[in-house]
Amino acid sequence: MTRKVTYRCPSNIALVKYWGKKEDGIQIPANASISWSLSDLFAETSVEATESREPELTFLYDNSPKTSFEPKIKDFLSRIAPYSDFVATHSIKLNTVNNFPHGTGIASSAAGFGALALCIADLEGLFQYNTLEFYQRASFFARLGSGSACRSVYAEPAIWGHHDAVGNSSDLYAVPYTGLIHSNLQDWKDCVLIVDDGEKKVSSTAGHALLKNHPYAASRFQQAQKNIENVLQFMQRGDIISFIELVESEALQLHAMMMSSIPYFTLIRPGTLAIIEEIWTFRNDTGLPLGFTLDAGANVHILFPESIETEAMNFINTKLLVYCKNGLYLCSSTGGQPTKIVE
Ligand code: PMV
């Protein structure tokens, strides 16, 4: 018997960063992280599963074979096999596509593994679609593909990693934050300014591993745990100024950890710093609530509430385009649930 499902899953951007893993277990974060999903930057993935005693994998990117991706997917399937009989009993034909261009330096793994995990959780049929258990199962699978991907399956801010102040939090999957969020911190936008579109010089996997003997690791992990508590308070109170300060500090800490790893490295580029300076000047001059965060790369995520969209876009288009590779930036709303595509 053959069954097919298709899911669309957003990418996400961390507000408090995951950087460093615990030593035991697979993809167990050293600290809790929290993210917003980016509903306009997504992957759409179909999985066609056929019962088989000798399971095979066919991987297509936008309907064309892409063998270079196959080892990653095979690895992922072997990681989830101990938890799900589905993998050992089905051949899988997978077709995936991102709605954002390749080679923009935007990590596609969060959206891609999120969408694939949703397909598998659906086909496996253990939990009913659209229930919390279903999303937690998908999040658990996604984590085994790429840690940060486990946060992509929720519309609400997603928290991954055990934290005493977040009752149901877990190292094994992300949970949605369903508490109060002040209207000041709802409906924010993220415009990703593409500073560098090349392959990263140091992969996230290698970067995480460098935390193992990092001189500042222990205090960074403590700081992140504290920042989770703080950011939740700022969201509840609608304290935009403190929120922006915390989120920018998290981004700079992430890159400071890279620059103080042994061996050290950096992923930021001159354009990254120039944009950050421009943002601080803009905020000083206008008093408008616009801030930034960074992923593991040179690109700058500009965050602002929808209410100042006109001013923010004007700022980006007049002051920041010059730092963007080929003038490229990609904007998204934050929040937004993954969707099951019914054909
Ligand atoms: O999920 P990974 O292993 O690609 O790690 C990503 C880590 C950061 O993007 C830098 C931060 C985060 O929490 O998303």
Side-chain angles (χ1 to χ4, degrees):
M1 193 174 75
T2 297
R3 285 175 305 142
K4 182 180 172 190
V5 293
T6 303
Y7 275 83
R8 175 181 288 185
C9 184
S11 182
N12 74 74
I13 182 68
L15 304 169
V16 173
K17 309 290 180 182
Y18 149 59
W19 197 241
K21 306 181 194 198
K22 286 186 186 145
E23 291 198 17
D24 36 337
I26 301 175
Q27 313 269 64
I28 302 295
N31 61 262
S33 56
I34 182 168
S35 63
W36 274 337
S37 65
L38 301 174
S39 50
D40 301 309
L41 301 173
F42 57 82
E44 205 168 286
T45 300
S46 301
V47 173
E48 213 176 289
T50 309
E51 274 178 61
S52 161
R53 283 203 198 127
E54 283 168 45
E56 284 175 8
L57 169 70
T58 313
F59 181 83
L60 305 175
Y61 184 85
D62 202 7
N63 295 311
S64 304
K66 186 131 186 179
T67 45
S68 60
F69 277 33
E70 272 178 22
K72 260 197 159 177
I73 306 294
K74 281 197 172 135
D75 251 23
F76 168 67
L77 293 175
S78 68
R79 281 180 180 187
I80 67 172
Y83 305 100
S84 175
D85 289 344
F86 174 81
V87 173
T89 51
H90 290 82
S91 280
I92 285 174
K93 186 173 165 197
L94 201 165
N95 185 22
T96 190
V97 65
N98 299 330
N99 80 326
F100 46 93
H102 250 312
T104 48
I106 294 191
S108 51
S109 58
F113 279 117
L116 174 55
L118 286 157
C119 289
I120 293 179
D122 186 311
L123 288 163
E124 185 193 44
L126 218 55
F127 298 106
Q128 204 187 334
Y129 166 64
N130 237 344
T131 58
L132 181 61
E133 291 82 359
F134 170 76
Y135 289 112
Q136 273 179 4
R137 181 87 174 153
S139 178
F140 177 91
F141 288 154
R143 177 194 113 241
L144 294 170
S146 158
S148 56
C150 77
R151 298 184 310 237
S152 267
V153 304
Y154 301 108
E156 299 86 357
I159 300 174
W160 171 42
H162 175 75
H163 195 297
D164 287 339
V166 183
N168 53 351
S169 58
S170 169
D171 283 346
L172 304 180
Y173 48 80
V175 294
Y177 170 71
T178 52
L180 179 79
I181 302 178
H182 192 282
S183 58
N184 283 355
L185 281 153
Q186 289 179 23
D187 302 323
W188 278 50
K189 297 265 178 191
D190 179 359
C191 286
V192 193
L193 272 48
I194 311 301
V195 174
D196 192 350
D197 56 2
E199 185 81 2
K200 274 190 271 186
K201 284 189 294 278
V202 178
S203 69
S204 287
T205 308
H208 285 293
L210 289 174
L211 273 279
K212 203 173 151 204
N213 294 312
H214 197 295
Y216 309 135
S219 55
R220 161 62 200 156
F221 301 148
Q222 264 176 24
Q223 174 89 56
Q225 291 298 88
K226 185 77 202 137
N227 276 347
I228 290 281
E229 262 176 271
N230 289 342
V231 83
L232 290 175
Q233 274 177 24
F234 302 152
M235 286 169 134
Q236 286 156 12
R237 288 209 304 260
D239 184 344
I240 300 187
I241 293 177
S242 303
F243 174 84
I244 288 179
E245 255 172 30
L246 183 148
V247 168
E248 291 189 347
S249 160
E250 272 290 321
L252 295 175
Q253 281 184 41
L254 168 69
H255 285 263
M257 292 308 281
M258 295 177 194
M259 289 191 246
S260 48
S261 293
I262 303 167
Y264 51 80
F265 66 102
T266 183
L267 299 178
I268 53 177
R269 310 292 310 139
T272 314
L273 283 175
I275 292 170
I276 291 173
E277 296 277 3
E278 292 276 8
I279 289 171
W280 287 338
T281 305
F282 174 83
R283 207 161 64 227
N284 246 336
D285 291 352
T286 64
L288 291 172
L290 178 146
F292 72 86
T293 188
L294 305 167
D295 227 326
N299 300 334
V300 183
H301 290 245
I302 300 202
L303 304 172
F304 54 88
E306 213 172 82
S307 56
I308 66 154
E309 188 167 7
T310 309
E311 295 88 337
M313 295 319 295
N314 192 32
F315 167 55
I316 291 171
N317 286 317
T318 55
K319 293 276 197 233
L320 305 182
L321 273 197
V322 43
Y323 306 111
C324 299
K325 193 100 188 252
N326 304 318
L328 185 63
Y329 64 84
L330 301 165
C331 293
S332 175
S333 296
T334 60
Q337 191 83 17
T339 42
K340 182 172 180 174
I341 312 282
V342 181
E343 288 170 34

